[in-house]
Amino acid sequence: MAQVFSFPDVGEGIHEGRVVEWLVAVGEAVGEDQPLVKVETDKAVVELPSPFAGTVLELHAAAGGEIHVGDPLVTIGAAGERAAARAAVAEPSDHARPAPAEPAAAQPAAAGAPAPRPPATPKTRTLARRLGVDLGRVRGSGSGGRITDEDVERAAAGTGAAVAPAPRAPAPVRPVAASADGEVERLPISHLRKVIANAMRQ
């Protein structure tokens, strides 16, 4: 049976936070106590571990989004549940829903939607960062398209594990406003800095 892991009460009067980075992807198998997500609170950036083992079925919060205590973060199910969900997708009324068993790369991305996180273990992600390999450009040879350490090493050595480079998107234009002191560039503020600013103002 699927279980929902919600943003827990981490104590110290903290009621909200911001999702910094997901450490797992939909379809990825996770173990109990495996880090799931990095969340920035009023005090620090913390990693939240999974309270149970299973397969990630859904991520309920986007990276950069604010969450509150009790908000659902991730749905984790047992091994047979993805197959059952795929059978339900065959219903004509559900034709708009993607089949969970299909690799993320096979699904067309909606305009403006963030790219899905490539399936890989935290150890493999650390290796990719150390070798300077973009996991989004690597073909996974593991089960369900999972990227392995060997895939990362082959990509770093240029032996064909990486897919062809994607065309570069134009750099995003940052908002600039005019003021008495000239042009002012506005940048998003982190959750922690927002708390510090409010405390200083008070």
Side-chain angles (χ1 to χ4, degrees):
M1 183 177 68
Q3 302 180 81
V4 177
F5 174 48
S6 300
F7 183 36
D9 184 351
V10 294
E12 301 184 12
I14 294 174
H15 303 292
E16 62 181 9
R18 181 179 66 87
V19 175
V20 176
E21 178 186 9
W22 281 104
L23 305 177
V24 295
V26 173
E28 183 173 342
V30 297
E32 188 173 352
D33 294 328
Q34 177 179 332
L36 294 175
V37 61
K38 289 183 180 179
V39 174
E40 181 184 35
T41 69
D42 296 358
K43 306 294 182 181
V45 175
V46 296
E47 289 186 355
L48 300 181
S50 175
F52 29 75
T55 301
V56 177
L57 299 181
E58 184 176 359
L59 304 179
H60 296 281
E66 292 201 3
I67 52 174
H68 298 81
V69 171
D71 287 350
L73 284 175
V74 56
T75 298
I76 298 177
E81 289 193 73
R82 287 187 81 216
R86 184 177 182 181
V89 173
E91 295 293 332
S93 59
D94 294 335
H95 68 280
R97 295 173 52 196
E102 293 297 325
Q107 303 297 331
R117 185 180 177 88
T121 64
K123 175 175 174 289
T124 301
R125 297 185 191 282
T126 300
L127 176 63
R129 284 194 293 268
R130 182 165 59 83
L131 297 180
V133 174
D134 180 4
L135 291 182
R137 311 304 307 158
V138 177
R139 294 191 186 97
S141 62
S143 175
R146 180 191 298 274
I147 299 172
T148 65
D149 290 356
E150 291 74 16
D151 296 330
V152 172
E153 291 168 353
R154 285 196 296 269
T159 56
V163 301
R168 287 188 175 183
V173 178
R174 291 174 173 172
V176 176
S179 72
D181 298 320
E183 291 187 342
V184 177
E185 184 178 3
R186 298 187 180 276
L187 301 175
I189 188 171
S190 71
H191 180 76
L192 183 57
R193 291 293 179 187
K194 186 186 300 183
V195 171
I196 293 173
N198 288 337
M200 291 178 65
R201 184 177 60 183
Q202 292 173 4

